Amino acid sequence: MFPSTILGRSYLLFMLVLTVGVLAQHEWQARDAFDEIKIKFDKVNADNCPIQHHSDLFMPEDVVSHKPDIKEVNVNPVFPNRTALLHLQNMALSRSFFWSYILQSRFIRPAINDTYDPGMMYYFLSTVADVSSNPYINASAVYFSPNSSYSSSYRGFFNKTFPRFGPRTFRLDDFNDPIHLQKISTWNTFDVQDLGAHHPDSISKDYSHDLYKINEWYRAWLPDNVAGRHDTKITYQVEIRYANNTNETYTFHGPPGSEENPGPIKFTRPYFDCGRSNKWLVAAVVPIADIYPRHTQFRHIEYPKYTAVSVLEMDFERIDINQCPIGEGNKGPNHFADTARCKKETTECEPLHGWGFRRGGYQCRCKPGFRLPNTVRRPYLGEIVERASAEQYYNDYDCLKIGWIQKLPIQWEQAPYYVRQKYLDLHPEYRNYTTGARSLHTPNLNIDQALKFIHGVNYRTCKNFHPQDLVLRGDVSFGAREQFENEAKMAVRLANFISAFLQVSDPNEVYSGKRVADKPLTEDQMIGETLAIVLGDSKVWSATTLWERNKFTNRTYFAPYAYKTELNTRKFKVEDLARLNKTHELYTEKKYFKFLKQRWNTNFDDLETFYMKMKIRHNETGEYQQKYEHYPNSYRAANIKHGYWMQPHFDCDGYVKKWLVTYAVPFFGWDSLKVKLEFKGVVAVSMDMLQLDINQCPDRYYEPNAYKNTHKCDDLTSYCVPIMGRGYETGGYKCECLQGFEYPFEDLITYYDGQLVEAEYQNIVADKETRYDMFKCRLAGASGLQSALGLIISLIGLVFTMLYRFR
């Protein structure tokens, strides 16, 4: 009995010490803004959200900081942790342009006793494609104002409107779905609903009513009460050339211009999507314009008006926060500013991307005049600092002060002969280099000559080069897959939509009651979809939808090609490439079209399968939702990995005379017997290669980067780190000091800037005055060793003096 009592007491004492130690580990961390938001985040869930106060379903406006500004997209670089938000707003903008275009496109066609509006299935599958093409987008919807949505889905419904119409798709967590026996989440199952289908007396289900609580996205632009002038909506102009060589200039009203204030995009506060996806979401909202009311025969009372909004939402948890203090790169407003744990005396905070809504998404770098201890290789990671105990935190995570700081030189001198030869030996490609197009085909690439050739090709000089010289090596556009990923997803979205519509919507299907099936895709719809890509993403210079021969309704060939000739314009052009019928001009002979057709002609096993649980309205007035006749249904389509990246090329005879990087992705539909899938065509987008950031730093041997390891950093004392935003020019890197070395100069930075290093190396090549030989890091602690050595010599001298005097 006695030993067991001692053992029990010892066990209790051990548990008490352990509990106190664990609980006290983070006592040094005072409660801050992150803790307040985290408590608010965890407070609301699917069970209690209906009874929560309105304010508890929203977070402060500044919780999401550094929202991408559409006015600066082509001016300043977008941080990697905001590319998903940028794509969210581009998608919302693209959908707004499309719906505005297609709702007003009836003025292109002669008036008939029918409506040219897309049917309900078109709306549903369009929102499905928005979500299926990008895993970062959680939901997509189009919400119409009351009695503003016209439809072609019911007989005798000409010039009539739905009371409410709100097609919405959100991503389901399908790990427990009976369809998937593996019990894993695929991200490919979607809940599709018409949120306008409810009983007229159920005002809490009316998304336009104040009792809906979370409809801040609706009130961002609607209702649009136009007072005074009727010409308040911006117009966009499209010049269209059809296959029969007839031309048309069509002007339509759309969302506000990018240069206006406010712009076309409004972000909502983070809100809890109560009763729907039951997640904290952030939405990008863009208005949709239409001429309203319709078919009055009196144009003076039909005026442009915002009749709907395009709303795309993403998961709040996946948006990075910035815990660093307010400064040049973090001007605010930022709710989480200055919640980082970096020691401000010797370190400064630098945000990292990919951490989402959690602590530690930063690193603590040494301030100018300080260096890392010799035992530390990289800056202190924020996650490690946040998890540290009080003892660890107060004893570690400091930088050491640099003892002797050098001044930057004022007078430069020409490098001695032996110094110049030493650096030219390190880069032998600068001794006997090749110029022009051949500079890209040498064993040791001279990056300056290669860029000189590339920048020298333009619409005036391209005729002077052989056509082979205007197609570059694929590794010259290294980084395009990451930097142009958002633009590639635009093509994937359209390919997904066409695949879904061709496989799910059957124009010959017969429904009970007055409901009719959607009509086949029309020329106007495909022109509008292609044009919306160019309008919605400013980095896309051209987009095209190429249909295989005899695969588009009532057309042998059909290939709408939309493009622009200058940035920040409201004038765009569309060509139907089917009018080019010469053998070398036929679009079916394009390299990417032939490649994708051969790749996807017979085997479709690798395609993604997307499942939809679709609920539509019971009748014209809504009343309630009912399951679609095919429930659940699915379609198969390509993802971004199934596309094809072309080599950079300069199309001297094309419409966009630039160095273009083209991405193409296929779409599929049923064959004539509806037995198996078949290749139907390709969607392609082209971007300006000169908008890429060059990476001159070393990389793995198998990375296809033409400019790999062309930096000019001193390899013995420093290493190369890429810097984004420098464009297709040299110097897009910085030379950071290696472990055990320090930056010796009195400066506001702790590294050598790549642009300065490249410029000074050019002075070495040209044998001019230069300071390139100074761009080296100093051995860490060298100044301290120098002082210690002087002290030792002094002591030895004193000892010898004393011995001499008292011998």
Side-chain angles (χ1 to χ4, degrees):
M1 186 69 181
F2 183 71
S4 63
T5 305
I6 296 176
L7 184 63
R9 289 176 178 176
S10 302
Y11 180 74
L12 288 174
L13 181 63
F14 170 75
M15 291 302 297
L16 179 63
V17 171
L18 181 64
T19 304
V20 171
V22 170
L23 293 177
Q25 180 179 3
H26 302 292
E27 277 188 353
W28 61 275
Q29 299 181 0
R31 176 176 290 190
D32 55 17
F34 180 87
D35 297 311
E36 296 171 5
I37 298 300
K38 190 68 169 66
I39 292 171
K40 193 178 183 72
F41 182 89
D42 295 332
K43 177 183 177 182
V44 187
N45 55 48
D47 297 324
N48 63 20
C49 70
I51 60 173
Q52 293 285 353
H53 189 269
H54 178 265
S55 61
D56 292 331
L57 299 178
F58 289 88
M59 289 186 181
E61 183 78 29
D62 58 354
V63 165
V64 178
S65 61
H66 303 81
K67 298 185 182 77
D69 188 352
I70 195 170
K71 296 179 178 61
E72 297 187 1
V73 168
N74 293 302
V75 179
N76 296 320
V78 177
F79 295 118
N81 60 3
R82 287 299 178 266
T83 51
L85 268 179
L86 177 64
H87 183 60
L88 185 80
Q89 74 169 28
N90 286 345
M91 282 292 296
L93 190 61
S94 173
R95 303 321 304 145
S96 170
F97 276 119
F98 170 75
W99 295 119
S100 298
Y101 176 90
I102 205 65
L103 292 177
Q104 300 169 56
S105 66
R106 63 188 180 280
F107 296 114
I108 302 179
R109 303 299 175 201
I112 58 175
N113 189 21
D114 199 355
T115 176
Y116 293 106
D117 288 308
M120 288 194 300
M121 189 59 67
Y122 196 106
Y123 282 95
F124 289 135
L125 297 180
S126 177
T127 58
V128 169
D130 297 340
V131 183
S132 67
S133 60
N134 190 343
Y136 289 98
I137 294 179
N138 196 66
S140 173
V142 179
Y143 298 98
F144 279 89
S145 290
N147 299 306
S148 297
S149 55
Y150 297 85
S151 178
S152 60
S153 294
Y154 288 92
R155 294 187 186 91
F157 209 66
F158 173 72
N159 205 20
K160 294 182 181 180
T161 57
F162 290 144
R164 304 287 187 277
F165 185 47
R168 182 176 189 259
T169 296
F170 67 86
R171 193 186 310 276
L172 289 175
D173 190 0
D174 57 355
F175 78 98
N176 204 28
D177 199 290
I179 298 174
H180 308 295
L181 301 178
Q182 301 92 338
K183 298 295 180 182
I184 58 175
S185 186
T186 66
W187 292 8
N188 288 345
T189 302
F190 311 108
D191 184 275
V192 189
Q193 298 183 19
D194 181 1
L195 297 180
H198 59 82
H199 196 275
D201 296 333
S202 302
I203 57 175
S204 62
K205 296 182 179 180
D206 182 0
Y207 58 76
S208 65
H209 199 277
D210 290 340
L211 289 180
Y212 203 74
K213 284 188 176 182
I214 59 172
N215 60 351
E216 192 172 276
W217 28 262
Y218 180 85
R219 292 194 293 268
W221 295 101
L222 300 176
D224 183 23
N225 298 317
V226 180
R229 296 170 60 95
H230 285 180
D231 56 350
T232 57
K233 302 298 181 283
I234 299 297
T235 58
Y236 299 85
Q237 181 178 299
V238 185
E239 298 177 10
I240 306 175
R241 181 182 291 181
Y242 296 100
N244 58 3
N245 278 319
T246 58
N247 299 333
E248 181 170 21
T249 300
Y250 174 55
T251 302
F252 69 99
H253 299 273
S258 301
E259 74 283 1
E260 292 192 353
N261 193 16
I265 300 140
K266 290 183 180 179
F267 282 98
T268 65
R269 295 179 293 169
Y271 63 94
F272 191 83
D273 195 32
C274 184
R276 307 197 300 182
S277 60
N278 293 316
K279 290 185 175 183
W280 285 95
L281 302 178
V282 175
V285 189
V286 184
I288 297 169
D290 192 8
I291 305 295
Y292 187 86
R294 292 187 180 181
H295 308 294
T296 64
Q297 305 302 320
F298 300 103
R299 290 304 303 276
H300 65 282
I301 65 172
E302 297 179 2
Y303 59 93
K305 180 181 179 181
Y306 294 146
T307 58
V309 286
S310 173
V311 181
L312 275 91
E313 299 151 301
M314 70 178 296
D315 199 334
F316 169 70
E317 276 191 285
R318 305 190 72 172
I319 301 177
D320 290 352
I321 62 174
N322 189 343
Q323 295 184 249
C324 297
I326 296 294
E328 281 299 317
N330 184 19
K331 293 184 177 180
N334 181 3
H335 197 83
F336 302 106
D338 207 14
T339 58
R341 309 294 187 187
C342 295
K343 293 187 174 180
K344 296 183 179 179
E345 298 81 10
T346 62
T347 63
E348 55 189 8
C349 176
E350 179 181 337
L352 303 175
H353 68 274
W355 294 78
F357 177 62
R358 59 190 180 106
R359 287 188 180 275
Y362 60 90
Q363 61 183 9
C364 303
R365 303 178 52 82
C366 292
K367 278 186 170 181
F370 294 87
R371 65 171 177 85
L372 288 170
N374 291 343
T375 55
V376 180
R377 179 173 298 178
R378 294 289 185 267
Y380 301 113
L381 192 62
E383 187 181 30
I384 304 299
V385 177
E386 297 274 357
R387 292 180 177 181
S389 64
E391 182 182 0
Q392 289 175 314
Y393 180 75
Y394 291 118
N395 293 329
D396 295 326
Y397 311 120
D398 281 304
C399 289
L400 306 178
K401 189 172 180 58
I402 295 175
W404 176 54
I405 300 178
Q406 299 174 232
K407 293 284 186 180
L408 289 168
I410 299 175
Q411 184 177 356
W412 304 349
E413 296 181 356
Q414 197 170 2
Y417 174 79
Y418 68 91
V419 173
R420 180 172 180 269
Q421 295 303 315
K422 179 181 73 170
Y423 290 121
L424 289 177
D425 286 343
L426 290 176
H427 301 279
E429 63 272 15
Y430 284 88
R431 288 190 181 274
N432 298 313
Y433 52 81
T434 306
T435 61
R438 293 181 298 171
S439 60
L440 286 164
H441 303 283
T442 56
N444 294 320
L445 181 74
N446 185 319
I447 185 172
D448 292 287
Q449 294 302 319
L451 295 186
K452 186 177 180 181
F453 158 68
I454 291 173
H455 288 293
V457 180
N458 53 49
Y459 69 95
R460 296 189 187 93
T461 62
C462 62
K463 295 290 185 183
N464 302 331
F465 296 92
H466 192 278
Q468 289 182 347
D469 296 335
L470 300 181
V471 179
L472 303 180
R473 297 161 37 181
D475 57 357
V476 170
S477 61
F478 176 79
R481 293 173 184 247
E482 294 78 26
Q483 298 176 44
F484 289 149
E485 183 180 13
N486 285 350
E487 289 67 38
K489 287 177 179 176
M490 286 285 193
V492 175
R493 185 254 155 219
L494 180 51
N496 267 21
F497 165 73
I498 299 176
S499 298
F501 195 89
L502 295 179
Q503 297 172 43
V504 174
S505 178
D506 185 359
N508 299 318
E509 192 158 3
V510 178
Y511 301 107
S512 60
K514 295 182 180 180
R515 185 156 62 96
V516 294
D518 276 29
K519 297 174 183 176
L521 296 172
T522 66
E523 288 186 25
D524 288 334
Q525 290 168 355
M526 289 297 94
I527 290 174
E529 291 280 7
T530 309
L531 179 65
I533 296 177
V534 183
L535 284 158
D537 195 320
S538 59
K539 286 189 176 182
V540 176
W541 281 84
S542 69
T544 181
T545 305
L546 310 178
W547 286 79
E548 172 66 319
R549 178 184 171 92
N550 293 326
K551 300 304 179 185
F552 190 77
T553 309
N554 299 327
R555 290 287 301 273
T556 305
Y557 292 105
F558 181 52
Y561 176 86
Y563 66 99
K564 59 189 176 187
T565 55
E566 58 182 1
L567 274 177
N568 306 322
T569 182
R570 293 181 189 167
K571 296 182 179 180
F572 301 85
K573 298 183 179 182
V574 175
E575 296 263 352
D576 188 348
L577 299 183
R579 71 181 187 83
L580 305 175
N581 52 15
K582 295 181 181 178
T583 304
H584 68 283
E585 294 177 339
L586 202 60
Y587 69 80
T588 54
E589 296 300 313
K590 288 183 178 291
K591 182 179 179 180
Y592 59 82
F593 188 93
K594 294 170 67 176
F595 175 87
L596 291 172
K597 181 180 177 180
Q598 292 170 1
R599 164 65 182 85
W600 297 101
N601 223 6
T602 54
N603 189 353
F604 309 101
D605 293 342
D606 197 34
L607 293 178
E608 292 269 7
T609 302
F610 300 98
Y611 298 91
M612 296 175 293
K613 296 182 177 181
M614 192 178 299
K615 295 179 181 179
I616 63 173
R617 58 180 51 234
H618 171 65
N619 55 21
E620 301 96 317
T621 57
E623 298 297 335
Y624 59 86
Q625 295 185 11
Q626 66 181 26
K627 291 182 179 179
Y628 179 59
E629 277 73 6
H630 307 281
Y631 184 94
N633 54 2
S634 64
Y635 70 94
R636 306 192 70 189
N639 59 32
I640 194 170
K641 296 179 181 178
H642 296 145
Y644 175 68
W645 290 91
M646 274 194 66
Q647 297 170 257
H649 60 283
F650 195 101
D651 192 358
C652 203
D653 298 322
Y655 301 106
V656 182
K657 293 177 172 56
K658 292 180 176 291
W659 286 108
L660 297 178
V661 177
T662 300
Y663 172 81
V665 62
F667 54 86
F668 309 89
W670 296 115
D671 61 4
S672 57
L673 299 177
K674 287 199 169 184
V675 174
K676 63 183 182 66
L677 291 179
E678 67 178 5
F679 173 83
K680 294 289 187 180
V682 165
V683 178
V685 291
S686 296
M687 290 70 66
D688 184 3
M689 184 188 72
L690 301 187
Q691 288 186 301
L692 286 175
D693 288 333
I694 289 178
N695 187 347
Q696 294 181 247
C697 296
D699 209 337
R700 297 176 181 87
Y701 69 92
Y702 52 80
E703 291 291 348
N705 181 5
Y707 307 121
K708 177 171 56 181
N709 207 21
T710 59
H711 67 93
K712 307 301 186 300
C713 296
D714 179 46
D715 289 330
L716 297 177
T717 63
S718 62
Y719 64 97
C720 175
V721 178
I723 296 178
M724 64 175 298
R726 298 287 175 90
Y728 212 79
E729 301 284 350
T730 57
Y733 59 89
K734 57 183 178 180
C735 304
E736 292 272 10
C737 294
L738 285 168
Q739 182 181 7
F741 291 87
E742 63 189 18
Y743 184 78
F745 293 107
E746 185 181 30
D747 204 347
L748 296 177
I749 56 177
T750 59
Y751 56 84
Y752 298 105
D753 192 287
Q755 289 181 333
L756 186 61
V757 173
E758 292 283 342
E760 293 301 326
Y761 190 82
Q762 287 301 314
N763 290 337
I764 286 277
V765 175
D767 201 11
K768 296 180 181 179
E769 294 179 348
T770 182
R771 50 177 173 165
Y772 179 77
D773 195 38
M774 301 179 58
F775 294 155
K776 300 176 182 177
C777 293
R778 186 177 64 194
L779 190 66
S783 57
L785 290 174
Q786 187 177 8
S787 302
L789 182 62
L791 180 62
I792 291 171
I793 293 174
S794 300
L795 287 173
I796 292 174
L798 179 62
V799 169
F800 276 108
T801 302
M802 297 294 290
L803 289 174
Y804 179 77
R805 290 186 61 182
F806 298 104
R807 60 182 178 175

